[in-house]
């Protein structure tokens, strides 16, 4: 991609990755593996620091709701967003995700402080 040269800057000190994709596009389903590999595995981040969002456009076919992704993507938290039907659900999932990232950041900061002290 033409933006690959920017990726190291985007990844620097990154604490979380949200990958949003259209589950109806086969090309997107292929690409999320690449995004996961580059932005999560190579950092390295924990799987819990990555959130997958299958975004359903208004009026799109709903049969992608029971989406089954192959390993290793099937280990990640996957939410479906359909802003017409359930914006509140998506908002709650984002809040939960951000809370978990903050917890991970706090824990790693405490570990660093303890290693400096000891």
């Amino acid at each position: 991609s033409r933006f690959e040269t920017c990726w190291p800057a985007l990844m620097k000190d990154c604490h979380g990755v949200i990958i949003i994709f259209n589950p109806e596009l086969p090309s997107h389903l292929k690409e999320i593996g690449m995004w996961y590999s580059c932005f999560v595995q190579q950092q390295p981040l924990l799987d819990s620091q990555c959130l997958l969002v299958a975004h359903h456009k208004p009026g799109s076919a709903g049969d992608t709701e029971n989406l089954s992704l192959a390993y290793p993507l099937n280990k990640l938290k996957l939410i479906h967003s359909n802003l017409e039907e359930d914006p509140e659900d998506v908002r709650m999932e984002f809040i939960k995700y951000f809370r978990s990232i903050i917890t991970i950041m706090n824990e790693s900061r405490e570990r660093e402080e303890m290693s400096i002290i000891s």
Side-chain angles (χ1 to χ4, degrees):
S1 130
R2 58 178 182 228
F3 297 118
E4 274 181 57
T5 49
C6 308
W7 288 1
L10 288 173
M11 293 184 214
K12 186 174 163 25
D13 301 328
C14 165
H15 294 289
V17 173
I18 298 173
I19 299 172
I20 300 172
F21 64 99
N22 181 343
E24 290 175 38
L25 292 182
S27 62
H28 275 206
L29 295 176
K30 277 208 231 39
E31 282 171 27
I32 52 178
M34 186 255 320
W35 291 110
Y36 170 74
S37 168
C38 292
F39 281 84
V40 181
Q41 288 181 309
Q42 289 174 33
Q43 289 245 60
L45 291 177
L46 301 169
D47 285 339
S48 56
Q49 287 167 279
C50 182
L51 178 66
L52 291 181
V53 181
H55 183 64
H56 301 269
K57 288 183 170 171
S60 63
D63 59 352
T64 46
E65 285 285 341
N66 49 14
L67 187 66
S68 62
L69 296 170
Y71 179 87
L73 297 170
N74 60 4
K75 301 182 299 174
L76 303 173
K77 171 85 174 151
L78 168 69
I79 65 169
H80 290 270
S81 75
N82 184 330
L83 300 181
E84 274 189 324
E85 285 172 25
D86 240 337
E88 191 53 30
D89 264 16
V90 176
R91 203 174 72 87
M92 291 312 295
E93 288 292 352
F94 269 100
I95 290 169
K96 270 197 288 198
Y97 171 70
F98 288 126
R99 280 195 185 131
S100 73
I101 295 295
I102 290 165
T103 303
I104 290 167
M105 286 167 63
N106 288 340
E107 284 169 358
S108 79
R109 194 173 57 232
E110 281 166 20
R111 272 197 307 275
E112 276 171 33
E113 286 168 1
M114 290 310 289
S115 69
I116 292 166
I117 292 166
S118 55

